[in-house]
Amino acid sequence: MLTIMREYCIQEGFTLQKLKNEKTRYTQKCTNLGCTWKIHCSVLVDRTTWMVKAHSGRHICGRPDQNRMATAP
């Protein structure tokens, strides 16, 4: 799940802050001030598949000059 979210953030051009990151639950929010976007995911019974349980609407923040989630030069 972490790899998928990292790639999505790089593609869309925003960064996330971890709120809860456990083996079975995953919650993050946007780091931009004033943005209320948040996502919560949890693992299914098969212990492999993740499901988005809740997200708070559409993410509308602009792209930052530098994305700290993109580590390649």
Side-chain angles (χ1 to χ4, degrees):
M1 183 65 182
L2 296 175
T3 304
I4 293 169
M5 286 305 295
R6 181 179 296 123
E7 290 175 2
Y8 178 70
C9 290
I10 292 169
Q11 174 186 334
E12 296 299 318
F14 61 88
T15 57
L16 296 177
Q17 175 185 4
K18 297 175 189 174
L19 297 177
K20 292 182 183 174
N21 190 12
E22 303 169 0
K23 289 184 179 182
T24 58
R25 292 183 291 177
Y26 178 81
T27 305
Q28 288 192 335
K29 70 172 193 147
C30 180
T31 58
N32 290 337
L33 295 175
C35 183
T36 60
W37 191 85
K38 193 165 36 170
I39 189 166
H40 176 72
C41 307
S42 61
V43 72
L44 297 178
V45 178
D46 66 359
R47 299 277 183 205
T48 304
T49 309
W50 287 80
M51 179 176 181
V52 175
K53 296 288 188 170
H55 64 87
S56 58
R58 187 178 171 122
H59 193 263
I60 56 172
C61 292
R63 292 183 179 266
D65 292 334
Q66 292 185 357
N67 189 336
R68 65 182 176 89
M69 296 187 95
T71 58

